[in-house]
Amino acid sequence: MAQQPAQQDSTVADLVTASLARHAAGTDPGAVDLLARARRWGPDLVAGLSVPYPNGAHPDVLDDVIDRLVTGWIERPQRLRERDRDRALCPDWFQRPDCIGYVAYADRFAGTLPGVAARIDYLRELSVSYVHLMPLLQPRPGADDGGYAVADYR
């Protein structure tokens, strides 16, 4: 039987709570923000996994995704956690007049991802607020669609 949204919501929050406990991070004051995000976005995560893993075949994948999410959150510097919270409170932050976005293909802009990182100071000089890198995955052969038709997701 399919779970109702409230059940999915609590399931993801429960999984996040269990993962925080496994990592001994349940007492971190920032865990409140992470749990709020799990409650808000948990149903979307479950729904997204049900597409490639139909018929309820995704619980192990969901557990793995949650554990990776919690591990990444634990390792995330406090200043970035604060930025996450600010952006959650103001979801249209990137549309502010003082924000400048830069869209590029990593290979054409800088050759590699480390090359992009090496050019961050240059982008800061240009007052760029955020960078959107176009698809980084291997495109399928044939007509170029900008990198969205993927041949290999690894």
Side-chain angles (χ1 to χ4, degrees):
M1 181 163 117
Q3 291 182 334
Q4 298 302 313
Q7 291 172 311
Q8 293 172 346
D9 174 51
S10 103
T11 299
V12 171
D14 291 345
L15 291 171
V16 168
T17 300
S19 184
L20 284 165
R22 278 194 305 279
H23 292 284
T27 59
D28 186 314
V32 172
D33 289 338
L34 182 62
L35 286 167
R37 292 169 73 184
R39 286 187 191 93
R40 168 60 182 95
W41 299 107
D44 290 348
L45 175 61
V46 171
L49 287 173
S50 68
V51 174
Y53 300 98
N55 303 321
H58 65 280
D60 290 340
V61 174
L62 180 60
D63 287 342
D64 186 50
V65 168
I66 295 293
D67 202 54
R68 289 172 187 255
L69 179 145
V70 169
T71 300
W73 176 81
I74 289 168
E75 294 171 357
R76 195 158 175 79
Q78 185 61 35
R79 67 181 179 79
L80 294 180
R81 287 187 193 181
E82 290 168 6
R83 183 184 295 173
D84 294 341
R85 183 178 48 247
D86 292 346
R87 288 182 174 172
L89 294 171
C90 183
D92 60 347
W93 62 268
F94 59 92
Q95 295 176 330
R96 292 188 336 234
D98 61 329
C99 281
I100 299 172
Y102 188 87
V103 180
Y105 288 97
D107 58 339
R108 293 182 184 163
F109 174 62
T112 63
L113 286 176
V116 172
R119 288 172 173 77
I120 295 295
D121 287 340
Y122 166 71
L123 294 170
R124 282 190 180 130
E125 285 177 29
L126 297 176
S127 300
V128 170
S129 306
Y130 62 94
V131 175
H132 173 88
L133 295 177
M134 298 299 286
L136 302 169
L137 304 170
Q138 178 184 343
R140 67 177 182 211
D144 184 2
D145 70 344
Y148 290 96
V150 176
D152 186 350
Y153 286 94
R154 292 171 284 164

